[in-house]
Amino acid sequence: IGVQHYYLGQLDSSRYYYQASLDLYKELDELDELSTQYVNLGSLDILAGNGEKAYQYFDSSYTISKKINSPWTLSVSYEGLAESSKMLGDYKSAFKWLKEYHALKDSLSGDKVKLQLNELQTKYETGKKDQEIIALEKKEAEAILIAEKRKAWLIMAITTTLAVVLVLLFYIGKR
């Protein structure tokens, strides 16, 4: 709900819902969601020009993100720490956090590319296997058809032979 208010420009309502979520996630000990709420609140304080409060929220998110190894919230925390440090006039820290942000972002982008390549490879191999399965099913169907034709010819041959034998026996029996 806080996000919808944020995008509607209703920042006070957004803060209210973010804070309510933060309290709930603290109670439930949901660290990943807690970290996200700290990011949301920090972002609001960046917009409000409150660098000190924003830094505290982003620092809390950073601490939790490191603890639970959450790359996305860690990345956003780095970015928020850089921005709030800049607002506070601490350009050395801002630069440090910005470097951390870009390093992690580049790493995540590389991981994303690897994941996409793996997905494409899997799709290619699956498609290839599907084609092989279709070809094998076609060969199996052809083999069954040939076997059925042979069976039909065999039944006709046996029936014809039996008919000839019966005719011969009948002919010999009349003599």
Side-chain angles (χ1 to χ4, degrees), residues 2-15 44 47:
V3 174
Q4 281 80 17
H5 286 285
Y6 176 85
Y7 286 113
L8 291 172
Q10 301 167 347
L11 302 184
D12 289 336
S13 295
S14 182
R15 180 179 302 281
L44 286 177
L47 288 174

Side-chain angles (χ1 to χ4, degrees), residues 16-58:
Y16 170 80
Y17 286 107
Y18 286 158
Q19 188 63 51
S21 296
L22 182 77
D23 296 340
L24 177 65
Y25 292 132
K26 278 182 183 178
E27 187 177 314
L28 296 174
D29 199 33
E30 289 284 335
L31 297 180
D32 190 43
E33 294 297 330
L34 189 61
S35 180
T36 301
Q37 294 313 310
Y38 279 127
V39 164
N40 291 340
L41 287 164
S43 297
L44 286 177
D45 280 316
I46 291 283
L47 288 174
N50 189 351
E52 190 172 320
K53 188 87 169 160
Y55 188 91
Q56 291 171 358
Y57 283 131
F58 284 115

